[in-house]
Amino acid sequence: MDIAALLTSAGINIAVCVVLFTLYSVLRKQPSNVNVYFGRRLASRRSKSRDLCLDRFVPSPTWVMKAWETTQEEMLTTGGLDAVVFSRMVVFSIRVFSVAAIICTILVLPVNYYGQDRIHKNIPFESLEVFTIENVKEGSQWLWAHCLALYIITLTACTLLYSEYKSITNLRLVHLTSSQPNPSHFAILVRGIPWSSEQSYCETVKKFFSFYHPSTYLSHQVVYKSGVVQKLKDDAEYMCKMLSSGCGSMEQTCKPSFTQCYFCGGSTNSFKIISNETDSIHGRTSYSDVHLNARKKESAAAFVFFKSRYDALTVAQSLQTSNPMLWVTDLAPEPQDVYWPNLCIPYKQLWIRKLFTFVASVTFVLVFLIPVTFAQGLTQLEKLEKMFPFLTGMLQKKFVIQLVTGYLPSVILVLFLYAVPPVVMLFSTMEGCISRSERKKSACSKVLYFTIWNVFFVNVFAGSVISQLAVFSSLTELPAQLAKAVPAQATYFTTYVLSSGWASLAFEIMQLFPLFCNLFQRFILGYNEDTMNGDLTFPYHTEVPRILLFGFLGFTCSILAPLILPFLLFYFVLAYLVYRNQILNVYINKYDSGGQLWPIAHNTTVISLLVAQVIALGVFGIKESPVASGFTIPLLICTVLFHQYCRERFLPVFKNNATQVLIDMDRRDERCGRMEQIYELVNSAYCQFSGSTQSECFSSHQGERELVGTPKDMETGNENRQEDISWPPVLHSFDKPVIGGK
């Protein structure tokens, strides 16, 4: 591939980005699209204006300025700690790759370009291999520049990683010690409750904890079966009762409607539809019916509440009986974070589910080798001409060559990768995660490993499936294999950054699927009310792996093919603006993991550094530079030691809550006389079934900030707000803004 093919790919993606960003700046101003581009604000909005003005149809960059000027404290209030952690990942990437781009442009790029005595063509017609380390001749005296650049990049990355880890750890402590009491600090989740023919699970839990924890036990709440199958059974029972009661009740249920049908113009007859859990049998039965059926619908799990945070922590971390499969205790997730369907899964099934999920994940990875190999084969014109002889004439045209080699392979791979997150999320759900944030964190790790394997390693060792697996048969030859393969595929990674990076940000900000659904709802179905478009929580399980994958590519290719760095740097700056805008306006913060995503980012970054150093060690060996190879080995050792120190210093704070902090919080609440109020709060926090949504169970403590204004007010952030005490608590950070803050 030459520079012209790379510029063709860049030009196509730049054109796509310009068109979509321009459309976005106009569409976001239309009142009919408020539920698409201001979903978070619509969740608490009272009214809006639909005034017609010319400014609505003129593109403007006001959203860029708003995203740039937003401080970290505002991000913390709006999106929670997870949003701040995600923003810190992007900021870290901007900082480290700014240094890498400067160093590699000054030191590495000239050495690569003039690495051999050859006649150079004009820049647009030069092969991209000329700008990689492949162009440096063996035994070159200038390889010290690559080693020095590797040292500077590693030192910068480790310094920034330590600083970010320390800062996010402090933010997590602020999250833990917030002024508002957190019900999950007083609650534990108990699974594996033994079945008894003489008493219900509810009575069993009460007797066990009243006997073994009499001074600390407060109350409990049994978990009821609430899966899809159970809901269908309950609704079927309810329909049978309705049918057996005669036609009179049916006449009361079915009422004619004269709503116009937008397809045929006639009227329709609507029936009462059982649509969700709140309309199911749990919301319609009387108290006596629930009491009679309670034991039948109880599951072997319960939330148990204690009188202090320290008591709950002690019980959650201790073994309750000599049989570790019974009375299994864990810290309870926050009420909004509970994933109720998985609480009913018998604890003894979890290890089988995890084993099945692992086997299914490995199978999925192996099957996915087929589309990845196909996409990689498009970069090799000789193989294409042999496989498809009828394309020989077309593949001789210059523009077609640039399009096929520079654009199509990465686009095809990106399209196939869109099927990965839903499948992986299904695997994570089958594992039995008890919270939504844990499920999303598990999916995030799986998607990350999957994309790094398929985008990097499979493409590096392109060929048949057998040859790709045979490369790893000897670990001693792995550095040399990587050293030969990675520089040759560095140009493909550059085009992948353009296709999967730049274009994905444009599609993300456009919200094409919600926009299409909104247009279909308004112009086909004729429904003009502003409603929420599904579960608008931030997709960390797709965006975090994408950010970390590009960081992985940047570290591994920085000294091998420095031309990738400007494209990566532009991507991260654009991602900084786009994601902040989405968090501020689109996505709703329903639950928060307390920054649990940062250890994943830290581990991935360290692995990226180690892989880059191993590849550099192999390259220096192939290029016969013993000095550079000798200096790379201590760098590997120091990086591993740094990672181990961070694990010992910071990681325990993310795994467990500190006893000292919890005891101090308990004593503070006792001095303030708030314990009785907290007990009432805890007893009503975990609502599995109610006549309304889960969040309304906490109506006395729940209060989003409400706003009144037009789409223009939403765009500029000038909507009128009404304060209220809310749960989750509003966290405050007094750090200065990381980038672009006031």
Side-chain angles (χ1 to χ4, degrees):
M1 183 188 298
D2 55 17
I3 293 292
L6 179 62
L7 294 178
T8 300
S9 178
I12 294 174
N13 286 282
I14 290 174
V16 171
C17 290
V18 170
V19 171
L20 293 181
F21 279 113
T22 303
L23 283 175
Y24 167 74
S25 65
V26 174
L27 292 175
R28 73 192 303 268
K29 298 179 182 180
Q30 311 310 311
S32 60
N33 294 329
V34 168
N35 59 330
V36 177
Y37 299 118
F38 295 97
R40 187 194 67 81
R41 302 183 181 223
L42 181 64
S44 57
R45 179 189 57 79
R46 286 182 175 178
S47 63
K48 70 175 186 296
S49 172
R50 295 180 182 271
D51 297 334
L52 181 64
C53 58
L54 182 62
D55 183 63
R56 281 172 41 190
F57 304 97
V58 178
S60 62
T62 54
W63 69 272
V64 176
M65 300 305 299
K66 178 64 177 176
W68 182 266
E69 294 173 354
T70 300
T71 63
Q72 180 173 290
E73 184 177 353
E74 294 172 344
M75 285 284 294
L76 198 60
T77 303
T78 302
L81 185 55
D82 286 341
V84 173
V85 169
F86 181 77
S87 180
R88 287 287 187 94
M89 294 181 194
V90 182
V91 171
F92 166 81
S93 301
I94 293 174
R95 289 174 173 173
V96 71
F97 288 113
S98 296
V99 175
I102 294 173
I103 295 300
C104 291
T105 301
I106 296 175
L107 284 178
V108 177
L109 195 60
V111 174
N112 290 347
Y113 189 71
Y114 297 104
Q116 293 186 7
D117 297 331
R118 57 186 300 175
I119 300 175
H120 291 281
K121 305 176 184 178
N122 293 331
I123 295 295
F125 302 103
E126 283 280 17
S127 173
L128 289 178
E129 284 73 17
V130 175
F131 300 92
T132 68
I133 201 170
E134 280 187 313
N135 196 48
V136 179
K137 61 183 179 181
E138 297 180 0
S140 174
Q141 301 273 331
W142 290 96
L143 285 173
W144 64 266
H146 297 77
C147 185
L148 178 61
L150 185 62
Y151 261 85
I152 295 175
I153 293 172
T154 302
L155 181 62
T156 302
C158 291
T159 303
L160 292 175
L161 276 177
Y162 180 84
S163 176
E164 294 292 345
Y165 218 151
K166 182 178 180 181
S167 177
I168 293 173
T169 301
N170 293 333
L171 287 177
R172 177 171 169 81
L173 293 177
V174 173
H175 174 80
L176 179 64
T177 59
S178 58
S179 58
Q180 294 284 345
N182 189 338
S184 64
H185 294 165
F186 295 84
I188 67 170
L189 176 65
V190 182
R191 290 177 290 178
I193 303 173
W195 181 82
S196 173
S197 59
E198 301 177 354
Q199 58 188 9
S200 64
Y201 285 121
C202 183
E203 295 170 344
T204 302
V205 172
K206 183 177 180 180
K207 288 184 178 180
F208 180 86
F209 285 95
S210 297
F211 184 81
Y212 291 104
H213 304 279
S215 61
T216 59
Y217 167 69
L218 180 64
S219 62
H220 71 278
Q221 177 182 325
V222 174
V223 177
Y224 292 88
K225 299 174 183 178
S226 61
V228 177
V229 176
Q230 183 65 31
K231 183 190 168 198
L232 292 175
K233 279 182 59 180
D234 295 342
D235 288 336
E237 292 176 3
Y238 175 72
M239 293 304 298
C240 289
K241 291 180 181 179
M242 289 179 61
L243 293 173
S244 62
S245 63
C247 299
S249 61
M250 293 298 292
E251 291 177 357
Q252 296 176 359
T253 305
C254 305
K255 297 180 180 180
S257 172
F258 299 97
T259 304
Q260 183 181 9
C261 176
Y262 281 79
F263 286 101
C264 60
S267 62
T268 61
N269 287 328
S270 61
F271 291 85
K272 184 178 180 181
I273 300 175
I274 301 172
S275 58
N276 51 43
E277 278 188 335
T278 62
D279 293 331
S280 65
I281 186 68
H282 302 288
R284 295 186 299 265
T285 53
S286 63
Y287 177 79
S288 59
D289 293 334
V290 173
H291 181 72
L292 292 174
N293 296 328
R295 183 173 180 181
K296 182 177 67 173
K297 295 178 182 178
E298 286 179 347
S299 64
F303 288 100
V304 180
F305 310 113
F306 292 86
K307 296 180 180 179
S308 69
R309 299 173 179 86
Y310 175 71
D311 296 332
L313 178 67
T314 303
V315 176
Q317 295 181 346
S318 59
L319 191 65
Q320 300 301 312
T321 65
S322 57
N323 186 350
M325 300 297 287
L326 298 177
W327 298 104
V328 181
T329 56
D330 296 289
L331 287 173
E334 294 183 0
Q336 296 87 351
D337 195 17
V338 177
Y339 190 67
W340 293 98
N342 279 359
L343 299 187
C344 304
I345 299 174
Y347 185 78
K348 295 180 180 180
Q349 291 183 8
L350 291 182
W351 72 273
I352 301 177
R353 286 172 170 265
K354 292 179 180 179
L355 180 62
F356 174 79
T357 302
F358 176 77
V359 174
S361 300
V362 173
T363 304
F364 186 51
V365 169
L366 295 178
V367 171
F368 207 81
L369 291 175
I370 299 173
V372 175
T373 305
F374 170 74
Q376 181 55 231
L378 294 177
T379 61
Q380 304 172 8
L381 293 179
E382 298 80 5
K383 292 185 178 180
L384 281 178
E385 292 177 352
K386 291 180 180 179
M387 293 175 60
F388 307 102
F390 59 91
L391 295 178
T392 303
M394 186 178 297
L395 293 177
Q396 301 300 323
K397 298 179 180 180
K398 184 176 180 180
F399 176 76
V400 175
I401 294 175
Q402 296 174 356
L403 182 66
V404 171
T405 60
Y407 186 70
L408 284 183
S410 56
V411 170
I412 292 175
L413 181 58
V414 168
L415 293 177
F416 278 112
L417 287 174
Y418 274 116
V420 174
V423 176
V424 171
M425 180 62 79
L426 177 62
F427 291 161
S428 298
T429 303
M430 294 172 59
E431 280 184 339
C433 299
I434 62 175
S435 66
R436 299 179 184 275
S437 59
E438 182 185 356
R439 183 178 64 141
K440 194 166 283 189
K441 177 184 174 184
S442 175
C444 177
S445 300
K446 291 182 177 65
V447 174
L448 177 62
Y449 301 146
F450 187 92
T451 52
I452 288 179
W453 166 259
N454 283 285
V455 174
F456 183 78
F457 289 103
V458 175
N459 278 290
V460 164
F461 302 111
S464 64
V465 177
I466 302 300
S467 64
Q468 290 165 0
L469 298 178
V471 170
F472 298 95
S473 59
S474 177
L475 293 178
T476 57
E477 299 178 0
L478 183 59
Q481 295 285 351
L482 289 172
K484 294 177 182 178
V486 172
Q489 294 297 329
T491 55
Y492 171 78
F493 296 144
T494 305
T495 61
Y496 181 81
V497 171
L498 296 174
S499 301
S500 179
W502 294 11
S504 67
L505 291 176
F507 288 113
E508 164 64 28
I509 202 168
M510 274 293 294
Q511 294 287 297
L512 290 179
F513 182 73
L515 180 63
F516 172 78
C517 293
N518 180 60
L519 295 176
F520 181 83
Q521 179 181 357
R522 291 182 182 275
F523 297 105
I524 303 299
L525 302 181
Y527 187 75
N528 294 322
E529 293 296 325
D530 293 328
T531 57
M532 302 304 298
N533 289 315
D535 187 16
L536 291 174
T537 56
F538 192 87
Y540 292 108
H541 63 294
T542 61
E543 305 311 313
V544 170
R546 180 178 285 115
I547 292 290
L548 298 179
L549 171 65
F550 289 144
F552 185 92
L553 296 179
F555 284 118
T556 53
C557 298
S558 56
I559 67 170
L560 305 181
L563 281 183
I564 196 176
L565 296 176
F567 300 102
L568 267 180
L569 189 58
F570 181 79
Y571 164 78
F572 285 122
V573 173
L574 192 61
Y576 178 81
L577 299 173
V578 169
Y579 288 129
R580 287 169 76 91
N581 176 78
Q582 300 300 86
I583 291 171
L584 291 172
N585 297 319
V586 178
Y587 296 110
I588 301 173
N589 179 32
K590 295 184 178 180
Y591 49 86
D592 199 287
S593 70
Q596 291 288 347
L597 295 173
W598 181 254
I600 297 177
H602 177 88
N603 295 339
T604 305
T605 304
V606 172
I607 292 174
S608 303
L609 290 172
L610 292 174
V611 172
Q613 293 162 9
V614 168
I615 295 174
L617 183 64
V619 170
F620 295 150
I622 293 176
K623 298 295 182 180
E624 299 179 0
S625 178
V627 176
S629 300
F631 275 99
T632 305
I633 296 176
L635 189 61
L636 275 165
I637 298 174
C638 291
T639 304
V640 173
L641 293 177
F642 165 78
H643 176 58
Q644 188 61 31
Y645 172 77
C646 289
R647 284 178 57 87
E648 299 293 333
R649 172 63 180 84
F650 300 114
L651 188 59
V653 179
F654 290 82
K655 288 187 173 182
N656 301 294
N657 296 330
T659 300
Q660 177 187 9
V661 174
L662 297 181
I663 292 177
D664 290 341
M665 294 172 66
D666 288 332
R667 291 176 177 174
R668 181 189 64 189
D669 291 333
E670 290 176 356
R671 289 194 302 266
C672 297
R674 295 196 299 176
M675 295 307 293
E676 293 299 327
Q677 180 183 1
I678 291 176
Y679 293 158
E680 295 179 1
L681 177 67
V682 168
N683 287 327
S684 61
Y686 291 88
C687 299
Q688 184 176 4
F689 305 113
S690 65
S692 58
T693 60
Q694 169 95 9
S695 61
E696 290 173 349
C697 293
F698 216 172
S699 58
S700 61
H701 296 272
Q702 174 110 8
E704 293 273 345
R705 292 183 175 183
E706 297 187 348
L707 59 97
V708 180
T710 65
K712 184 176 181 180
D713 294 331
M714 294 182 181
E715 179 180 347
T716 57
N718 294 326
E719 62 274 10
N720 298 323
R721 300 184 180 273
Q722 294 184 355
E723 298 289 343
D724 193 5
I725 299 175
S726 62
W727 173 260
V730 176
L731 305 180
H732 297 281
S733 172
F734 300 99
D735 295 346
K736 294 182 179 179
V738 184
I739 282 186
K742 295 179 180 179

